Amino acid sequence: MTDLSKTKQSEESGSSPASHFIKTLISQDQKSGKYGGRVQTRFPPEPNGYLHIGHAKSICLNFTIAAEYGGQCNLRFDDTNPAKESQEYVDSIKDNIRWLGFEWDGEVRYSSSYFDTLFEFANQLIASGHAYVCSLSPEQAREYRGTLTEAGRNSPDRDRPVAESLALFAKMRAGEFAEGDYSLRAKIDMASPNINMRDPVLYRIRHISHHQTGDQWCIYPTYDYTHCISDALEGITHSLCTLEFEDHRPLYDWILSSLNLESIRAASVLADSESPYVLPEQTEFAKLKLNYTMMGKRNLRAMVEEGVVSGWDDPRMPTIAGMRRRGFTPASLRNFCESVGVSRSEGVVDLGMLEHAIRDDLDKHAPRAMCVMNPLKIEIDNIPEGEVIQLSLANHPKDEAMGRREVPLTREIFIDRSDFETDPPPGFKRLIAGGEVRLRGAHVIKCHHVERGSSGEVVLLRCSADLDTLGKKPEGRKVKGVIHWVSASEGKPVTVHLYDRLFRVENPEAKDIDDYRKCLNPDSLIEVSSAVVEPSVLEGSNERFQFEREGYFCKDVDPTATGRPVFNRTITLRDSWAG
RNA sequence: UGGGGUGUCGCCAAGUGGUAAGGCACAAGGUUUUGAUCCUUGCAUGCGUUGGUUCGAAUCCAGCCACCCCAGCCA
């Protein structure tokens, strides 16, 4: 039996997603029937910024794992700190998740929609002696907390009578106190080596309106108090989060086990269910880090606010919105997250992995086209002036289903300046004076005259086409080079944005870097205004193309003021030629 | 020097006592009207380190070292 299953697994492992410790854990829970066969996960962003590629890992993990085990994944906004949150972020996050290809279970959830229950449970904790109202100011509380190596001291209010705490908590909620006057704290252990257990704050006073609840509340629950209860109310089974929350797990468990289990169940989505009610459990995994990339929300926000980039959706940003505009596909991001794996060791993934994921997807799915970035005019003397030869080219070299397109060939065409050399380096396969080269999808041409301007620069190449080489190899010789081209008269001018990594250093967030601005790559965006594309590019509804020999490009959603179409370079083609 | 974690090829990552998967990168060939794709081959006598247990250790035990996280009424 073991042999059989092993064989089967290894045979499938080529195509099926890799296993990892969280799947192993859930498989065990499924086998033991711990949650009655249920798997419910959740993605719990705080709406205080835009989602980035790091979030994508968590999104993919939570949604795919639920799907693989026949469960569901909730989207819950963890909105307990209205000072930093806004509806704009709520909207963008929902949009980004859908774009990635995931759909959450039922309605969007908000921690703030549990405020009533949370408040009631807080009263229960006070009543059962698990929490008290503390009058220490934030500064005093810090002093009382102790340090990493010294135990803290008990608050003078720690043994406040239950009735008094209850009354004060009611007054806090009624708005009778100023911010910082009082807080509700869990009564755990001020000497705990885990600082999170030193009577953590559960509620604080904030006279601020909330993007979802308006002015209904002036006290707001903290993350630690809210998250575990929200999970429990939603019937979450596996609460997946990143490693830095590991120290919070004891608190997560403490809060839930200090509450009455039946009260939680009764307030949860499982109240009327026959499923056994089992509390959720938190499991941590390492967050995604990418080299040459800054992922901190603070820093990303700073780049937006300081105008280092054009916005949250600047194509150089590691945000979902930015990558989308850059031309990344949802599948490429999902595949990338899958290929990176899930573990507990904190590594830094090489950008090359991401690049591979997008090239892999676009190579299969992006139609080919030609675009000349830096035009050099060629006159083909044996094509009559005014004649337009419509060539039929395959949109994809391997996938006939992607169809064909017409590409006009005329007497005057453009090739890229870099495809002609008067002084070619060894191994140069493109056009040289007196040499031959294949025009992609068209004829072999020979350059017999180089025309120069007053300062010696090449202005025009006079060539002639071997009319017998359309769709066949030339007779008696080999022409190695193939270059792309665009008709001078039929081609369309476009603007192209060549993007490169934003930073010159592997870790722009390293401790020894005082200012990330000093590490910016000055060439992260190069605007090319001289580019010309073949007409088909502007005719269809395609957004993404491979401009042959140049890279993958994506039509920008936001044309520049010039009114010309803009194409963003998603990624270059691999280039094994060091020239 | 408190507590919690992590250390397997340049990078990610399987492996759970039976003799080091896979992907990325890299290198060398082959195909090619994209110097792309694709195909083939190569790439850890070694699993932070030192000891121990065992017929046998990346896997078990002990010590040591390195790195990450925690002292918000942020999440």
Side-chain angles (χ1 to χ4, degrees):
Chain A
M1 174 226 154
T2 25
D3 282 347
L4 258 174
S5 59
K6 256 186 184 172
T7 309
K8 198 180 175 195
Q9 266 195 332
S10 57
E11 275 173 2
E12 286 173 351
S13 68
S15 54
S16 65
S19 188
H20 52 67
F21 79 101
I22 294 179
K23 289 189 188 179
T24 304
L25 174 79
I26 296 181
S27 294
Q28 285 166 357
D29 289 345
Q30 291 292 75
K31 194 174 286 181
S32 71
K34 185 170 181 178
Y35 298 96
R38 295 175 50 245
V39 172
Q40 188 83 29
T41 57
R42 102 268 90 112
F43 174 61
E46 185 192 14
N48 69 343
Y50 278 67
L51 258 25
H52 55 62
I53 183 71
H55 294 109
K57 174 179 176 180
S58 179
I59 293 168
C60 290
L61 210 214
N62 277 292
F63 280 93
T64 60
I65 223 163
E68 281 176 32
Y69 288 92
Q72 293 282 336
C73 179
N74 292 352
L75 168 60
R76 177 171 79 234
F77 287 99
D78 213 348
D79 55 348
T80 56
N81 185 8
K84 294 183 174 176
E85 302 158 6
S86 77
Q87 187 64 38
E88 178 198 353
Y89 297 132
V90 169
D91 295 337
S92 72
I93 289 169
K94 292 198 295 196
D95 182 53
N96 289 164
I97 294 171
R98 287 212 178 95
W99 178 79
L100 271 175
F102 298 108
E103 192 53 57
W104 46 88
D105 187 24
E107 296 297 306
V108 172
R109 326 289 168 115
Y110 295 87
S111 293
S112 56
S113 70
Y114 309 136
F115 281 175
D116 283 327
T117 306
L118 258 2
F119 181 72
E120 187 194 320
F121 283 2
N123 278 290
Q124 288 180 21
L125 285 180
I126 297 170
S128 61
H130 289 289
Y132 61 96
V133 171
C134 177
S135 64
L136 254 28
S137 69
E139 298 71 37
Q140 290 172 313
R142 194 189 325 127
E143 285 170 32
Y144 274 74
R145 188 157 36 235
T147 68
L148 293 177
T149 51
E150 297 164 50
R153 287 140 52 212
N154 285 169
S155 160
D157 299 328
R158 199 166 198 263
D159 294 316
R160 189 192 294 280
V162 166
E164 206 175 301
S165 278
L166 250 14
L168 280 170
F169 191 47
K171 287 186 176 183
M172 283 169 65
R173 194 258 185 275
E176 295 184 24
F177 304 124
E179 294 185 8
D181 283 358
Y182 290 97
S183 66
L184 181 71
R185 295 228 258 159
K187 190 192 280 190
I188 309 180
D189 178 10
M190 289 306 291
S192 172
N194 180 347
I195 292 183
N196 296 301
M197 300 298 268
R198 318 240 263 230
D199 290 13
V201 169
L202 269 23
Y203 267 90
R204 70 281 214 190
I205 299 170
R206 287 289 115 92
H207 292 283
I208 212 177
S209 67
H210 187 283
H211 51 101
Q212 301 302 319
T213 60
D215 295 318
Q216 281 182 251
W217 296 87
C218 63
I219 57 172
Y220 292 97
T222 56
Y223 162 84
D224 285 308
Y225 178 64
T226 308
H227 202 91
C228 54
I229 295 176
S230 300
D231 282 345
L233 295 177
E234 292 177 10
I236 300 301
T237 55
H238 302 268
S239 183
L240 312 179
C241 64
T242 44
L243 253 21
E244 70 268 30
F245 291 101
E246 190 154 22
D247 290 344
H248 295 244
R249 195 169 68 221
L251 180 53
Y252 184 107
D253 294 337
W254 184 92
I255 291 169
L256 290 180
S257 61
S258 298
L259 255 6
N260 178 277
L261 186 66
E262 180 52 31
S263 299
I264 301 176
R265 192 199 66 80
S268 80
V269 295
L270 262 24
D272 301 321
S273 163
E274 284 165 19
S275 292
Y277 189 76
V278 182
L279 291 174
E281 282 184 15
Q282 174 179 308
T283 302
E284 311 84 14
F285 61 92
K287 65 167 58 152
L288 173 67
K289 289 185 180 174
L290 255 187
N291 58 11
Y292 299 100
T293 307
M294 236 174 31
M295 218 82 94
K297 265 186 192 174
R298 267 184 98 87
N299 290 328
L300 294 180
R301 191 191 318 280
M303 286 200 293
V304 172
E305 285 171 359
E306 292 165 19
V308 171
V309 292
S310 63
W312 285 101
D313 68 343
D314 185 295
R316 293 165 293 183
M317 290 284 271
T319 52
I320 308 288
M323 296 177 77
R324 173 181 183 175
R325 205 173 145 199
R326 172 86 168 250
F328 279 83
T329 58
S332 70
L333 261 31
R334 283 188 250 116
N335 293 343
F336 168 68
C337 291
E338 181 70 41
S339 74
V340 154
V342 180
S343 77
R344 289 177 60 87
S345 66
E346 303 178 291
V348 180
V349 174
D350 195 284
L351 208 48
M353 287 248 220
L354 216 210
E355 295 179 342
H356 174 263
I358 186 58
R359 285 193 182 110
D360 192 47
D361 191 30
L362 259 17
D363 173 60
K364 292 188 188 83
H365 304 297
R368 313 288 127 121
M370 292 192 283
C371 172
V372 172
M373 302 286 160
N374 194 202
L376 169 60
K377 190 176 277 187
I378 285 190
E379 189 178 284
I380 304 169
D381 55 19
N382 52 346
I383 293 180
E385 214 159 327
E387 182 172 343
V388 178
I389 304 167
Q390 291 293 355
L391 300 169
S392 172
L393 269 63
N395 286 330
H396 194 283
K398 293 184 175 177
D399 186 359
E400 282 183 40
M402 289 182 70
R404 307 183 74 80
R405 67 191 193 279
E406 293 211 317
V407 181
L409 173 64
T410 51
R411 180 180 176 90
E412 291 193 331
I413 62 170
F414 293 125
I415 66 166
D416 199 272
R417 297 200 89 92
S418 66
D419 284 334
F420 175 77
E421 280 292 344
T422 41
D423 186 23
F428 190 76
K429 299 206 306 197
R430 287 106 94 152
L431 192 59
I432 59 174
E436 281 187 305
V437 78
R438 160 79 65 181
L439 293 180
R440 174 67 165 157
H443 311 77
V444 168
I445 58 169
K446 181 171 189 171
C447 172
H448 53 73
H449 184 73
V450 180
E451 226 162 82
R452 292 173 186 278
S454 51
S455 54
E457 81 282 11
V458 177
V459 288
L460 177 74
L461 261 28
R462 296 193 187 279
C463 302
S464 50
D466 180 341
L467 270 4
D468 196 32
T469 55
L470 189 60
K472 54 171 137 167
K473 295 191 190 316
E475 307 228 339
R477 71 219 125 107
K478 273 200 173 148
V479 175
K480 273 184 289 184
V482 180
I483 63 173
H484 56 103
W485 56 277
V486 169
S487 161
S489 57
E490 307 301 302
K492 308 293 183 193
V494 296
T495 295
V496 167
H497 290 163
L498 303 179
Y499 291 107
D500 196 0
R501 57 184 61 149
L502 243 185
F503 296 97
R504 293 145 36 209
V505 298
E506 277 215 34
N507 182 7
E509 291 178 302
K511 282 181 187 143
D512 58 324
I513 293 175
D514 53 316
D515 185 356
Y516 75 84
R517 277 154 286 241
K518 291 175 185 164
C519 315
L520 288 167
N521 171 11
D523 299 321
S524 64
L525 167 58
I526 294 173
E527 181 169 316
V528 177
S529 51
S530 58
V532 184
V533 291
E534 54 169 269
S536 72
V537 169
L538 267 25
E539 285 161 4
S541 57
N542 275 316
E543 292 201 334
R544 299 187 182 87
F545 296 90
Q546 183 200 101
F547 289 158
E548 293 197 66
R549 303 209 311 131
E550 291 287 358
Y552 297 98
F553 292 75
C554 180
K555 196 167 182 185
D556 201 332
V557 292
D558 184 23
T560 57
T562 64
R564 300 207 320 193
V566 176
F567 287 87
N568 294 327
R569 185 175 69 193
T570 310
I571 185 75
T572 60
L573 255 31
R574 280 186 69 205
D575 184 6
S576 60
W577 197 60

